[in-house]
Amino acid sequence: MYFVLDNTPNNDTILEELGKIIGFEPKDKRLHYIGHIINLIVEAYLFGQDYASFEEDYKKAGAPTRRQL
């Protein structure tokens, strides 16, 4: 039995509680969801530190300009 979860800290908390109830070591049973990790890496690469500003510029731009962003 393994758990595939994203990197949200509250997932650690729930696994700790389940581990107490069911009887397992949470760190041994947790797998990080690779899709979420890759998404975070790609967002950081594409948008840098200012994702909100990029998203705002993207919404304001027309279709031809969006390709250049």
Side-chain angles (χ1 to χ4, degrees):
M1 171 173 61
Y2 289 91
F3 299 88
V4 180
L5 305 165
D6 65 13
N7 297 329
T8 306
N10 61 348
N11 286 330
D12 291 330
T13 305
I14 193 66
L15 281 183
E16 288 172 10
E17 294 303 315
L18 280 173
K20 291 175 189 175
I21 295 168
I22 300 173
F24 66 88
E25 180 60 39
K27 290 182 182 180
D28 295 339
K29 298 294 183 178
R30 178 165 185 198
L31 302 173
H32 291 273
Y33 178 56
I34 191 69
H36 180 70
I37 294 168
I38 291 171
N39 184 52
L40 293 174
I41 293 168
V42 169
E43 282 183 1
Y45 178 77
L46 291 176
F47 310 123
Q49 298 295 319
D50 195 8
Y51 176 75
S53 176
F54 173 82
E55 189 174 29
E56 184 178 317
D57 291 344
Y58 186 82
K59 287 179 181 177
K60 289 179 184 177
T65 309
R66 286 181 179 173
R67 290 187 200 112
Q68 295 174 354
L69 292 175

